[in-house]
């Protein structure tokens, strides 16, 4: 029998009656009960089936053109490019077989100007980074073109393993001249202009890459997830379940599907959205889209917490200790959109000191709030806990839906996960497992059946593996 959801008692806030009343109401809004979780999971599975059968559904369920399974014996040198989070990464991957690999990589920050300017500028910048990297590695004068796996972590409707059309931007990107275009062609043009000996042979979503990198040494891998700045999942589907497939006969009976589950419930049928979530959505650059992603990802959780805290400040329920102190004007930082980062939540949730001194330090150092009382800190910690727990439970719901959709056999299922929330956020994994076990109560020890694990460098090694699969598929086709 799974344990009940993590206790969210308000006893230990020890606040004024008004603070206690506010927290009680907040707990009700942000707690996803087992019942609610199960309703969301059922809806999620229904949406998966819809998306598999017809284009244009909220869960896009995009066929990745990656067919069949890995053998673990894939070998060779590949370049990988990772675009989609805070940094751009260029990686040289040597696949050695037997699930082993080596990587050398370089990282560059993508400025907000590049994220929101013309796509051509972004591609020129990427080509420059690849150029510098090739020179550093002594590969600039290669006779034969190096195959490159391009991890482009946005919703792309694929038409081949190295072709696709960008449907929309997410995660704060909004470059002009890219939506409706093929990201591979745009990049290849920039590479050609610089005469670089590189050919983009695979276009990969980061979740697909994560699945592949996990599968390279865990053959029972059925899915890959990203729980980081953004969120999404990919899993292995039977071709005969992809009703909308129009790509003709495939060489293998299975294909990886990029679910684009960040968009789940954009129509707001089942997710228990609060006014704090609605405020975030309304003020984001992509209102009404990526609703699920906005409840579970690193880019957004801090902002939800900020929305709660500023509301409490406006009602004079926080930071009221010193007389004459006006919290609204004292901390400019907390009044600014995105002013409360998800990493602050991690640090606050991690605070086990009896007087919450680390929480005080986070508030002081990052938000110039010096007058927080212990009650304030307890409230803030509880708000972080509520928002963080809700995120982990919803992520667990997505995982349970995938596992139930695929069916569990006696070997169980490995799920590779990458992303800062999963890797660093305190208790995230524990809370995710808790939700999965509530949804799959028939398994007394869920961790043996659904094995979550940190996937190693999905966007680098995974992209290289995808480039390798692309070469294998080319080979099969040329012999057919
Ligand atoms: C994108 C997905 C991506 C996910 C994780 C989402 O915003 O739409 O394509 O896999 O972020 O990076």
């Amino acid at each position: 029998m799974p344990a009940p959801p993590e206790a969210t008692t308000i006893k230990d806030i020890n606040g004024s009656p008004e603070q206690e009343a506010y927290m009680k109401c907040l707990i009700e809004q942000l707690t996803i009960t087992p019942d609610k979780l199960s309703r969301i999971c059922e809806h999620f599975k229904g949406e998966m089936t819809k998306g598999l059968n017809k284009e244009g559904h909220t869960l896009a369920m995009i066929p990745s053109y990656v067919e069949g399974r890995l053998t673990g014996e894939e070998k060779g040198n590949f370049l990988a490019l990772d675009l989609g989070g805070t940094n751009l990464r260029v990686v040289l991957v040597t696949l050695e077989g037997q699930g082993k690999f080596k990587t050398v990589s370089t990282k560059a920050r993508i400025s907000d100007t590049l994220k929101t300017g013309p796509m051509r500028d972004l591609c020129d910048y990427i080509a420059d980074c690849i150029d510098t990297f090739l020179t550093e590695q002594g590969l600039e004068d290669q006779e034969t073109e190096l195959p490159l796996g391009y991890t482009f972590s946005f919703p792309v409707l694929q038409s081949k393993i190295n072709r696709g059309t960008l449907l929309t931007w997410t995660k704060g990107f909004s470059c002009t001249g890219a939506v409706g275009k093929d990201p591979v062609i745009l990049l290849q043009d920039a590479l050609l202009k610089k005469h670089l000996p590189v050919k983009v042979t695979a276009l990969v979503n980061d979740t697909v890459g994560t699945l592949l990198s996990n599968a390279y040494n865990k053959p029972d891998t059925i899915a890959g997830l990203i729980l980081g700045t953004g969120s999404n999942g990919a899993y292995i589907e039977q071709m005969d379940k992809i009703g909308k497939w129009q790509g003709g006969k495939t060489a293998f009976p299975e294909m990886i599907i990029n679910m684009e589950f960040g968009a789940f419930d954009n129509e707001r049928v089942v997710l228990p959205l609060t006014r704090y979530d609605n405020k975030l959505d309304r003020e984001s650059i992509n209102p009404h889209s990526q609703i699920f992603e906005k409840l579970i990802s690193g880019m957004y959780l801090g902002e939800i917490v900020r929305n709660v805290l500023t509301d409490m400040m406006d009602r004079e329920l926080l930071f009221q200790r010193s007389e004459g102190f006006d919290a609204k004007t004292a901390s400019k930082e907390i009044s600014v959109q995105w002013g409360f980062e998800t990493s602050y939540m991690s640090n606050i949730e991690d605070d086990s000191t009896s007087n919450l001194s680390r929480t005080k330090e986070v508030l002081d150092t990052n938000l110039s709030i010096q007058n927080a009382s212990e009650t304030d800190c307890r409230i803030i910690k509880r708000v972080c806990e509520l928002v963080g727990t809700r995120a982990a439970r919803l992520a667990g719901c997505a995982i349970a839906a995938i596992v139930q959709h695929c069916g569990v056999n006696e070997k169980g299922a490995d799920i590779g996960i990458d992303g800062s929330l999963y890797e660093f956020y305190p208790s995230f994994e524990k809370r995710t497992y808790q939700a999965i076990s509530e949804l799959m109560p028939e398994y007394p020890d869920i961790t043996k059946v659904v094995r979550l694990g940190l996937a190693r460098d999905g966007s680098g090694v995974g992209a290289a593996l995808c480039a390798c699969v692309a070469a294998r598929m080319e080979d099969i086709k040329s012999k057919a």
Side-chain angles (χ1 to χ4, degrees), residues 383-410:
V383 174
C384 293
E385 236 172 65
L386 287 167
V387 173
T389 303
R390 183 181 66 163
R393 287 174 70 73
L394 288 174
C397 184
I399 296 173
I402 298 170
V403 173
Q404 289 176 345
H405 172 92
C406 296
V408 185
N409 65 21
E410 67 291 347

Side-chain angles (χ1 to χ4, degrees), residues 153-155 170-171 205-207 226 230-232 260 290 293:
S153 306
F154 301 97
T170 58
K171 297 177 287 195
N205 186 265
D206 50 358
T207 55
I226 299 289
S231 307
N232 186 16
E260 286 298 334
Q290 300 295 104
E293 175 166 78

Side-chain angles (χ1 to χ4, degrees), residues 82 84-86 89 151 153 171 206-207 209-211 213-214 224-233 261 293 296-299 301 342 346 395 399 415-429 432 452-460:
D82 177 15
T86 327
R89 240 165 28 107
T151 304
S153 306
K171 297 177 287 195
D206 50 358
T207 55
T210 301
L211 190 163
S213 86
N214 209 69
L225 262 80
I226 299 289
L227 299 171
T229 310
S231 307
N232 186 16
F261 72 42
E293 175 166 78
I296 64 176
S297 316
M299 175 160 175
L301 297 189
T342 304
S346 281
I399 296 173
I415 315 268
I417 311 183
D418 201 355
S420 47
L421 266 193
Y422 178 72
E423 191 171 359
F424 302 119
Y425 196 95
S427 304
F428 201 89
E429 189 191 62
T432 303
L452 309 183
L454 193 64
R456 298 169 310 161
D457 194 7
S459 36

